[in-house]
Amino acid sequence: MNPRAVTRRKKAPLAADLLRMPVTRDIVIADFGRDASLEYLRLVSRREKRLIEGVLAPEGHAFFDEYRRVMHTVVGDLAFLKETALERSAKNPGYLKGDILIGTGPWPRPGVFFQKLARLAVQQALLAMDRGPGRVRVVIPCNTLSDEAKRLDHALGSARELRKRLGPRFLSRSRARKIAAAGIRAFAPPEAVIRRLAENGSPGKPLNLLVLGARGARAVYEKLAAFRGLHVTPLENRHDDLIRQTIVASIGNRRERLDLCRRRLIHEIIEPRKKRLGSLVVLEARTDFRLGLGPSSLEIFADAMTSDAYGGMGADAAMPSLHV
């Protein structure tokens, strides 16, 4: 290996290095919920700017948006993705209830939902690839859809799987092969969150994790945490209704109701477990939450995705204090 190349990589990046970096084209599947998805974009934009300014400042250069290497296409089409569930609610009872939210009730996720999700991703991926070279990522800022993101990630790498999922009438062999050869990946928050929590925990000290989120999201985190040696403290079935009330109040920004739910979460869930376990990490694992009770899955996800787009730059961004 050329020693000069090794030395060059160890130097701090320059403005010219930024301009030479490949573009990352993100397809953000929004509406889970919409405000949370827009907040994700705001977080990435802010972190990206901070990262770029850290490169430009030592050289005395001004920041311009044109330095950015992450491009976004936002797809917000709940009318398409949840068409069946919305039609059912319109007929009976004629309005929306909590079960319309993924992960909070008996709302099903049949194969047709995944097919619609994959169809949106593929349509936008083909458009992104037509705009020029660069990496394409599908971003789903929803904790509960982690398994769907994994299924989509797998399908995007196989022309045969894509045509099987979407049907040959929708996707030709040539377009399926183009997608499969592009190395497109799909991402959701839980994997990045668990990885960051494990990396920032105290060595030799077990990390007790309390996941505040829908039942489906908690199941995802429990499964992932087991592989990282983290302990997720269980919640009781009676707590699901409180969490559901908190989610609804948060989505609607009903401040008085949200403040009441927050106090109940502390009194009924957090304090008893903190007293029993000694130390506790409270993870706000609902991307709609802004409760200030612990690290936010949305913020950690935004950090991880920004760092990933810039080849690890900014990966040592400070984490909020873990233990409460």
Side-chain angles (χ1 to χ4, degrees):
M1 182 179 291
N2 187 338
R4 290 185 179 180
V6 175
T7 303
R8 179 69 184 85
R9 283 199 298 270
K10 290 182 180 179
K11 291 181 179 179
L14 305 174
D17 296 323
L18 288 173
L19 293 174
R20 283 191 291 263
M21 291 186 72
V23 166
T24 295
R25 304 186 187 277
D26 279 352
I27 301 159
V28 181
I29 309 294
D31 278 331
F32 303 110
R34 180 168 296 187
D35 286 348
S37 298
L38 296 178
E39 174 66 6
Y40 166 80
L41 291 171
R42 188 187 72 83
L43 290 169
V44 169
S45 179
R46 188 174 66 188
R47 282 153 171 73
E48 186 185 22
K49 182 179 181 182
R50 189 170 61 206
L51 186 154
I52 293 171
E53 287 177 332
V55 174
L56 299 177
E59 299 180 60
H61 298 313
F63 170 85
F64 295 97
D65 278 312
E66 287 76 5
Y67 277 110
R68 296 183 186 271
R69 312 313 291 161
V70 181
M71 311 300 151
H72 295 106
T73 296
V74 183
V75 184
D77 198 349
L78 276 181
F80 176 69
L81 281 168
K82 290 190 176 182
E83 182 179 15
T84 303
L86 289 170
E87 288 178 351
R88 185 181 64 235
S89 294
K91 292 177 182 177
N92 182 27
Y95 57 90
L96 299 179
K97 300 187 297 181
D99 62 359
I100 196 67
L101 301 174
I102 295 174
T104 64
W107 193 87
R109 287 180 283 160
V112 66
F113 176 82
F114 178 79
Q115 185 183 58
K116 287 173 176 285
L117 185 69
R119 182 172 177 176
L120 287 181
V122 166
Q123 287 174 328
Q124 296 302 322
L126 289 167
L127 291 174
M129 294 165 67
D130 285 344
R131 288 196 292 272
R135 181 185 180 197
V136 179
R137 303 185 300 188
V138 179
V139 181
I140 307 175
C142 174
N143 288 288
T144 313
L145 287 175
S146 174
D147 287 343
E148 272 68 17
K150 289 179 182 177
R151 290 172 62 195
L152 180 59
D153 187 69
H154 171 72
L156 289 168
S158 167
R160 177 179 294 182
E161 186 70 13
L162 278 174
R163 281 170 56 81
K164 175 183 175 183
R165 295 285 187 181
L166 300 179
R169 294 182 63 182
F170 172 76
L171 193 63
S172 67
R173 281 192 176 86
S174 60
R175 294 205 302 174
R177 288 168 181 163
K178 182 178 180 180
I179 290 286
I184 301 171
R185 301 294 310 277
F187 298 88
E191 289 78 5
V193 171
I194 286 294
R195 182 170 61 251
R196 184 66 65 88
L197 290 175
E199 291 170 351
N200 286 270
S202 301
K205 184 180 293 186
L207 189 152
N208 296 306
L209 184 62
L210 173 60
V211 179
L212 288 182
R215 182 184 298 179
R218 298 201 307 269
V220 169
Y221 276 98
E222 287 174 5
K223 183 168 58 176
L224 291 172
F227 289 101
R228 290 278 185 168
L230 308 180
H231 173 255
V232 176
T233 182
L235 296 182
E236 299 168 25
N237 290 336
R238 62 189 177 90
H239 294 136
D240 282 329
D241 186 56
L242 173 56
I243 290 176
R244 186 182 299 110
Q245 292 177 39
T246 309
I247 292 170
V248 173
S250 185
I251 291 173
N253 198 27
R254 299 166 59 192
R255 297 310 308 177
E256 291 186 6
R257 184 65 180 170
L258 190 57
D259 289 342
L260 174 61
C261 289
R262 185 181 186 278
R263 291 194 296 270
R264 287 188 60 194
L265 288 171
I266 294 172
H267 177 69
E268 298 177 26
I269 297 179
I270 296 175
E271 288 183 345
R273 284 159 177 78
K274 181 182 176 184
K275 183 176 181 180
R276 186 175 75 247
L277 298 170
S279 64
L280 191 66
V281 176
V282 178
L283 175 67
E284 296 186 4
R286 178 75 192 190
T287 50
D288 308 287
F289 280 174
R290 295 293 179 276
L291 303 176
L293 297 174
S296 160
S297 64
L298 195 65
E299 292 192 11
I300 297 174
F301 186 48
D303 281 336
M305 294 302 288
T306 306
S307 176
D308 177 72
Y310 282 83
M313 292 169 59
D316 58 347
M319 270 278 293
S321 176
L322 287 182
H323 293 280
V324 298

